[in-house]
Amino acid sequence: MADETPIEGVLTTMAVESLFPRLEPLLPAVQKPIQYVGGELNSTVKDWDSTEVRWALMYPDAYEVGLPNQGVQILYEVLNERDWILAERTYSVWPDMEKVLRDNAIPQFTVDGHRPVGAFDVLGVSFATELGYTNLLTALDLAGIPLEARERTDEHPIVLAGGHSAFNPEPIADFLDAAVLGDGEEVVLAISEVIREWKAEGSPGGRDELLFRLAVSGGVYVPKFYDVDYLPDGRIKRVAPNRSGVPWQVVKHTLMDLDKWPYPKQPLVPLAETVHERFSVEIFRGCTRGCRFCQAGMITRPVRERNISTIGEMVQKGVEASGFEEVGLLSLSSADHSEIGDVAKGLADRYDGSNVSLSLPSTRVDAFNVTLANELSRNGRRSGLTFAPEGGSERMRKVINKMVSEDDLIRTVATAYANGWRQVKLYFMCGLPTETDEDVLAIADLAQRVIATGREVSGRNDIRCTVSIGGFVPKPHTPFQWAAQESWENVDARLSKLRAAIRSDRKYGKAIGLRYHDGQPSVVEGLLSRGDRRVGRVIRAVWADGGRFDGWSEHFSYDRWVKACEEALAGEPVDLDWYTTRERGEAEVLPWDHLDAGLDREWLWEDWQDSLDEVEVEDCRWTPCFDCGVCPQMGTEIQVGPTGQKMLPIVGVSQARQADLLAPAGSRDSG
């Protein structure tokens, strides 16, 4: 790697030794200094010179958001299990730390070994949301890595993007060397092997040859090897490879046997407060419910379940290794696991009387039952339940293919309230295709009916319902990828009417909480979600103007983005509205059409037309195939149970002893 790297015009020595001796005296000058210290339980620091390939893994947000990220933790562990690979983590630094680093010419560093990010072979960045793009530029600049890939030399790391937002990396294509679509467990090892071999040969052909080797595999997207041509009206004419051997389409990676990859085994335990403090086990991956707004469900197909014994073993080892007192059973729709009842009962039996509790993320209305809920709250922790009807009216739920009727919801909340729950949270979206004011106002009617039902079945008046609303953003690789995004003015106007409707109800209004975000951040997310390479100029302009942490309301500036669009896109036939509130036609080449998520484009278009006709489509887990294209195209298949297995008690440990072992250390009997 390079011996010297410029930061703000200052030459900084890029040794692989720890930067901590220089950093430590400066920590009292910043907020939450502990987030930069490292040394978490189960973290790994390897000897630099004893390894052959070195990764810096980044989640482009603050430590408190990034550390619990499941994807980064899994890759961190998968890579470090190989003795020839070193992997360390880095997160976005807050503006106060950014200033300290610049003032003292200290580069972006990892929290494990406090090594300079610019010294690694790969900087792997996991994007869960597009609003982290400006944070990538900050990290690159602090690391002394040129912002644009074309300016990098053999001395700089390969900048590689992954995560859900990598399914359309075009807005940040200028800043990336490569991107990977889909599951990362296997592909990061394959990439490491390519780098290892290339380095062992003496790095022939330099950086360009390494990227070419990655690109010809068909599983790594290298933007520099693709040219984009535009039509006079601003639409894309075509995206084509510019080098022989590079594939026309790059395909996603799909891990087909989750039981062989039971990660994380050694979960990281944060030193500072984080957004989630629990041990999370992914009980299945993928979703075929077919919600038309849901990019995660579409791009992670097919469904692949972990079996009950693997889940039990992962929970046991993870709790023992971390000491976490909450276990989250995670997936896109966890209650849909074919053996969720047995999973919940088996875990509840194991940890009955201990300090370990179980939780599910938001639960589908039609998958909830009180038996499951009682198992999850057996240790006395009965927090609020969260359901996601998404659309306020029956008509809207047909449009988005969320097959939940109002009567289904009322029956479910009645069961919950009758069995001791006092708080229910309902999640909706505003700005959905074909939405009207009436569809949004129907949310107030539904919430009022929920409160009335709760009071009736429980005989109590302390019933609460919280309505949480997010702005809808059309996403690539979904049936709504062609849809016009609603303007932020219309979204805010509808939410204002909804708030007035709830507040004006004297009988139920005080029992209903309303939480929502204004529509402006959703517009920017829409720009970044469906943008093409021209949007990279906008991102760079926003960053140069001080844009940081755009996913945080206190740091976000809509005016900054509008200004950057006007200036960076001046002279182009496109603008902010062109990328957001414009409906696309069937024949239009979309920026991500050369990136293959496995979904048949014609099937997506037909589903978009079905949504406009308010036609619902069943879940293919339980019905004949609907020809979305994933299974035959990816060589995959749906993997669901039931397996018929049962979760056994922890071997050799009595029920009482289990509770004792799992109690906090300070509370155990010293005798």
Side-chain angles (χ1 to χ4, degrees):
M1 311 309 295
D3 293 327
E4 296 180 326
T5 300
I7 298 180
E8 294 283 295
V10 179
L11 289 178
T12 304
T13 301
M14 291 292 283
V16 294
E17 288 82 14
S18 173
L19 294 165
F20 198 68
R22 294 174 58 196
L23 183 67
E24 186 178 21
L26 306 172
L27 290 177
V30 301
Q31 292 184 330
K32 299 182 181 178
I34 196 169
Q35 65 187 307
Y36 307 114
V37 170
E40 300 94 343
L41 180 64
N42 299 324
S43 62
T44 302
V45 179
K46 290 186 175 182
D47 177 65
W48 183 273
D49 293 325
S50 68
T51 56
E52 299 170 65
V53 178
R54 304 166 186 113
W55 288 70
L57 297 173
M58 180 180 190
Y59 190 85
D61 208 326
Y63 176 95
E64 62 199 80
V65 178
L67 184 131
N69 180 260
Q70 191 86 335
V72 172
Q73 288 210 27
I74 289 171
L75 298 184
Y76 177 75
E77 197 168 323
V78 166
L79 290 166
N80 276 320
E81 278 190 346
R82 275 64 185 176
D83 57 10
W84 55 277
I85 304 176
L86 175 153
E88 298 189 1
R89 298 163 293 125
T90 188
Y91 305 102
S92 295
V93 298
W94 284 111
D96 60 348
M97 176 58 93
E98 180 185 345
K99 183 176 188 305
V100 166
L101 295 182
R102 293 190 186 281
D103 289 348
N104 293 274
I106 298 175
Q108 178 86 19
F109 56 88
T110 60
V111 295
D112 298 289
H114 295 93
R115 289 159 170 153
V117 165
F120 287 76
D121 296 309
V122 186
L123 171 58
V125 190
S126 180
F127 287 103
T129 170
E130 298 85 358
L131 293 174
Y133 289 163
T134 50
N135 285 351
L136 167 66
L137 299 191
T138 303
L140 291 175
D141 192 54
L142 286 172
I145 302 170
L147 297 188
E148 300 209 4
R150 60 185 174 83
E151 298 174 354
R152 295 173 195 147
T153 70
D154 295 352
E155 306 303 318
H156 297 116
I158 298 298
V159 179
L160 174 77
H164 287 183
S165 295
F167 277 79
N168 177 28
E170 291 301 277
I172 52 172
D174 290 345
F175 316 124
L176 298 178
D177 294 298
V180 168
L181 281 62
D183 301 330
E185 290 93 335
E186 293 173 323
V187 70
V188 293
L189 295 176
I191 290 170
S192 299
E193 289 281 7
V194 172
I195 297 172
R196 181 191 203 183
E197 182 178 287
W198 172 76
K199 290 175 75 173
E201 294 173 7
S203 306
R207 179 186 203 84
D208 195 70
E209 171 65 19
L210 174 57
L211 290 172
F212 180 71
R213 292 186 186 189
L214 293 172
V216 295
S217 70
V220 178
Y221 175 51
V222 179
K224 69 177 285 186
F225 295 146
Y226 294 80
D227 291 335
V228 182
D229 299 321
Y230 300 97
L231 295 167
D233 64 2
R235 291 177 299 151
I236 294 174
K237 182 178 181 180
R238 75 169 192 163
V239 180
N242 57 31
R243 187 174 297 197
S244 177
V246 174
W248 281 82
Q249 278 201 318
V250 178
V251 298
K252 77 167 181 178
H253 297 266
T254 304
L255 191 69
M256 280 312 299
D257 190 346
L258 294 186
D259 290 323
K260 290 183 178 178
W261 298 83
Y263 296 91
K265 302 173 185 175
Q266 301 282 321
L268 294 165
V269 181
L271 295 175
E273 184 178 359
T274 58
V275 292
H276 298 300
E277 297 195 356
R278 64 189 177 203
F279 173 53
S280 298
V281 174
E282 186 183 25
I283 62 175
F284 71 86
R285 192 172 293 180
C287 182
T288 48
R289 285 285 189 170
C291 299
R292 292 173 174 129
F293 57 84
C294 182
Q295 184 190 49
M298 292 290 172
I299 64 177
T300 59
R301 293 182 176 209
V303 171
R304 292 145 286 153
E305 287 188 356
R306 277 198 167 102
N307 73 45
I308 189 169
S309 57
T310 302
I311 294 169
E313 184 177 353
M314 288 178 69
V315 171
Q316 177 190 345
K317 291 182 177 178
V319 168
E320 290 174 353
S322 67
F324 280 120
E325 295 183 359
E326 180 182 344
V327 175
L329 304 178
L330 303 187
S331 77
L332 292 174
S333 183
S334 293
D336 282 341
H337 191 286
S338 62
E339 296 179 304
I340 188 61
D342 289 336
V343 168
K345 184 179 188 307
L347 291 172
D349 286 345
R350 275 189 180 181
Y351 299 108
D352 193 16
S354 75
N355 60 349
V356 176
S357 65
L358 307 176
S359 67
L360 286 182
S362 63
T363 309
R364 282 188 63 93
V365 169
D366 51 352
F368 173 85
N369 63 71
V370 74
T371 303
L372 172 61
N374 282 334
E375 297 292 6
L376 294 170
S377 62
R378 199 191 292 182
N379 279 343
R381 302 182 188 184
R382 186 162 291 196
S383 57
L385 293 168
T386 301
F387 302 106
E390 308 289 1
S393 66
E394 297 274 0
R395 187 195 74 80
M396 203 70 255
R397 290 191 288 275
K398 289 180 179 178
V399 169
I400 63 178
N401 204 45
K402 190 81 175 186
M403 291 180 286
V404 174
S405 71
E406 185 169 325
D407 288 341
D408 288 336
L409 177 63
I410 295 304
R411 277 194 297 271
T412 298
V413 298
T415 301
Y417 286 132
N419 282 273
W421 272 267
R422 296 286 170 261
Q423 170 81 20
V424 166
K425 182 178 180 180
L426 303 178
Y427 181 80
F428 299 90
M429 285 188 292
C430 184
L432 290 160
T434 79
E435 180 185 273
T436 65
D437 290 1
E438 288 69 29
D439 292 314
V440 176
L441 290 172
I443 295 172
D445 298 332
L446 190 56
Q448 290 158 3
R449 192 176 169 196
V450 164
I451 295 297
T453 300
R455 289 176 179 175
E456 179 183 350
V457 299
S458 68
R460 302 172 62 114
N461 283 324
D462 60 345
I463 297 299
R464 292 279 301 167
C465 172
T466 300
V467 172
S468 182
I469 303 180
F472 166 69
V473 178
K475 293 285 185 176
H477 306 286
T478 71
F480 288 162
Q481 65 183 1
W482 291 278
Q485 185 171 354
E486 190 62 82
S487 70
W488 68 266
E489 293 93 343
N490 283 348
V491 168
D492 286 359
R494 285 174 186 161
L495 292 175
S496 180
K497 292 175 183 176
L498 175 62
R499 183 180 62 222
I502 290 174
R503 286 182 174 177
S504 65
D505 188 330
R506 293 187 176 182
K507 188 173 183 181
Y508 302 116
K510 290 185 177 180
I512 301 170
L514 179 62
R515 297 177 184 170
Y516 64 87
H517 300 288
D518 63 62
Q520 291 181 340
S522 296
V523 173
V524 172
E525 187 180 343
L527 166 73
L528 302 176
S529 173
R530 293 191 292 174
D532 53 43
R533 293 188 183 185
R534 293 168 290 192
V535 173
R537 300 177 225 160
V538 178
I539 297 168
R540 182 161 185 169
V542 167
W543 173 80
D545 194 30
R548 308 287 191 276
F549 290 94
D550 288 292
W552 296 69
S553 58
E554 59 265 43
H555 294 279
F556 175 80
S557 169
Y558 183 69
D559 291 341
R560 181 188 287 138
W561 282 94
V562 171
K563 175 188 172 189
C565 283
E566 291 172 350
E567 295 177 355
L569 300 175
E572 294 279 359
V574 299
D575 58 16
L576 179 58
D577 289 343
W578 191 90
Y579 284 110
T580 55
T581 58
R582 178 181 66 92
E583 185 172 329
R584 280 69 165 162
E586 181 181 9
E588 179 170 344
V589 176
L590 302 174
W592 51 89
D593 278 347
H594 58 299
L595 303 173
D596 187 5
L599 297 154
D600 184 79
R601 197 179 194 271
E602 287 72 27
W603 178 82
L604 287 172
W605 177 264
E606 289 170 5
D607 206 39
W608 167 227
Q609 301 310 301
D610 282 345
S611 76
L612 298 176
D613 294 333
E614 300 171 20
V615 175
E616 296 172 307
V617 178
E618 296 284 347
D619 185 337
C620 66
R621 262 173 293 191
W622 327 118
T623 65
C625 175
F626 287 103
D627 296 321
C628 76
V630 168
C631 291
Q633 191 163 325
M634 298 281 123
T636 60
E637 61 183 359
I638 291 175
Q639 296 179 343
V640 296
T643 64
Q645 299 177 359
K646 296 294 180 186
M647 192 176 297
L648 301 175
I650 299 175
V651 178
V653 182
S654 69
Q655 198 88 10
R657 181 60 179 149
Q658 284 182 47
D660 183 45
L661 284 171
L662 294 164
S667 67
R668 294 178 192 159
D669 186 345
S670 59

